[in-house]
Amino acid sequence: MHPLISASDLAQAIQQGDILVLDASMALPGQAFDPQQRFANAHIAGAVRFDIDTFSDPDSPLPHTIPGQARFARLATERGMANTKRIVFYDQDGMACAARAWWLTRLFGHERVQVLEGGLAAWKSAGLPLESGPDLAAPAPFVSRPRYDRLHGTGDVLDIVHGRLPGLILDARSRGRFEGRDPEPRAGIESGHMPGARSLPYTELLDDNGRFLPAATLKEKFAGLGVTDTTAVTCSCGSGMTACMIALALVSIGAGAGEPAVYDGSWAEWASTPDSPIVCGA
């Protein structure tokens, strides 16, 4: 199943049933809105909320890191994310949160998962209907079958940095943060990047409408950064959110060796871990 779905195709799929649409929106750094209130005001008919912070480890000092297997399964069951259903995530603004929800759900073994390309804006632009009102999730059993090959931790990234593990790290943060010129939004950590990492701000993957660039353009962009058919890619960012946009783009065009991994703790973990090597500059 292709990881992206257009607004018109999603509208047709909803008519056929056996599909669950989830709004995964949250406010990213620099944004200030209440996603729950926005959902209540207007959402795709039948959609339910997927709160990324709820689907996170409540004991972690880092933002929205992955939950344990049992916690994810319990929450997914409450949301009605049955393994038999086709799952589509969307964002009220952009696609980054939906990409995180897509990656997280596939990490725990649900493969029939897609992202609405262009988010709710694309749905509105297509003139498709919205509804207002509360979240009416209907529980349905979810069985977790983790795919932890899609996840990297600090030890894995250290192995790549020190050449003990082959791979290429792509960083979705802004170039200013990557180069150490701009401060990090998370207090107490310095900016910069991991040795050998390459900068790919996730916004450079998108066109003016918030959709991914054409596949040929994306392939050229990734190739320019050194991604070949034999390259194992690790995606990183500030806190594991926008890294999933790189992973989504790679899977959508079939680039790299197998599926990319996401460094869940990303820069928030790396820069707050003693003795992690940090490089500044291009």
Side-chain angles (χ1 to χ4, degrees), residues 13-210:
I14 290 173
Q15 295 300 317
Q16 296 168 4
D18 194 32
I19 189 168
L20 179 65
V21 180
L22 298 107
D23 181 324
S25 308
M26 66 178 292
L28 297 174
Q31 296 179 325
F33 67 93
D34 181 346
Q36 186 62 45
Q37 186 58 54
R38 276 196 184 180
F39 177 88
N41 293 342
H43 56 264
I44 295 173
V48 300
R49 280 282 292 143
F50 183 96
D51 188 319
I52 287 173
D53 280 337
T54 300
F55 277 82
S56 299
D57 180 357
D59 297 321
S60 174
L62 299 170
H64 42 255
T65 49
I66 65 166
Q69 181 178 346
R71 179 179 176 86
F72 185 91
R74 174 177 60 81
L75 294 171
T77 293
E78 292 174 0
R79 295 288 84 196
M81 297 166 59
N83 305 74
T84 55
K85 290 183 181 177
R86 182 179 179 183
I87 303 291
V88 177
F89 291 104
Y90 75 87
D91 253 304
Q92 296 166 13
D93 185 8
M95 292 194 295
C97 300
R100 172 70 182 189
W102 165 85
W103 172 78
L104 185 61
T105 303
R106 295 175 74 253
L107 178 69
F108 286 102
H110 199 315
E111 299 294 341
R112 299 177 65 211
V113 188
Q114 295 175 290
V115 169
L116 172 59
E117 188 162 22
L120 194 60
W123 184 268
K124 293 177 179 177
S125 294
L128 294 164
L130 298 170
E131 68 177 13
S132 60
D135 178 330
L136 299 175
F142 176 87
V143 177
S144 177
R145 300 180 179 92
R147 289 286 308 274
Y148 290 133
D149 55 310
R150 296 170 176 168
L151 170 70
H152 271 173
T154 301
D156 301 300
V157 179
L158 279 169
D159 283 344
I160 295 170
V161 165
H162 292 302
R164 297 187 292 264
L165 186 71
L168 175 66
I169 302 165
L170 296 181
D171 192 320
R173 293 174 300 151
S174 69
R175 221 171 292 283
R177 291 165 64 190
F178 179 89
E179 294 177 359
R181 295 182 285 106
D182 296 337
E184 288 294 314
R186 186 172 174 84
I189 63 172
E190 61 181 296
S191 56
H193 60 271
M194 302 140 194
R198 297 181 186 176
S199 177
L200 179 57
Y202 81 96
T203 52
E204 295 183 5
L205 300 171
L206 305 172
D207 64 18
D208 293 339
N209 294 314

